Amino acid sequence: MNSMNHRGYTARIEYDERDNIFVGRILGIRAIIGFHGQTVKELRKQFEHAIDDYLAECTEKDVSPEKPASGKLLLRVTPEVHGRAMVVAQASGKSLNQWVAELVERAVTADA
């Protein structure tokens, strides 16, 4: 995935061949924030402008801006998977939370 980061927010970047432009969309928040540019430099400028506008609008409306992630992950699995995961985590000398966090970290850095 092609991406850009600004002020803790990440955008997915794609190329629109039909319109001959780069198109971006902010990930990890409910608000739909998009931007585009014909060059990477213009795209970067529009991305930063979109984030800065979003944050300014939140301040103006006196609402907290959404954060891309809170650091808390709710995960639902079957009781059998949960039990086996606890055993494997404990056998490795880790808490279930620490064990799962390490697995997720490895998975997301392998794709980066």
Side-chain angles (χ1 to χ4, degrees), residues 15-90:
Y15 178 70
D16 182 333
E17 189 171 351
R18 186 187 64 186
D19 291 332
N20 195 36
I21 59 172
F22 295 103
V23 178
R25 179 164 187 258
I26 309 303
L27 302 175
I29 62 175
R30 288 177 297 214
I32 298 173
I33 303 173
F35 54 94
H36 64 275
Q38 290 186 323
T39 66
V40 174
K41 184 177 180 177
E42 182 181 358
L43 183 71
R44 162 68 61 188
K45 181 179 175 183
Q46 292 301 317
F47 171 45
E48 292 175 0
H49 183 72
I51 292 297
D52 294 344
D53 275 356
Y54 168 68
L55 295 173
E57 184 177 327
C58 288
T59 298
E60 191 176 292
K61 292 181 177 181
D62 197 28
V63 296
S64 295
E66 285 186 76
K67 301 283 186 193
S70 68
K72 296 177 185 176
L73 177 66
L74 176 61
L75 180 65
R76 297 187 192 282
V77 296
T78 65
E80 295 78 19
V81 168
H82 188 177
R84 289 194 312 261
M86 276 194 329
V87 168
V88 172
Q90 289 172 347

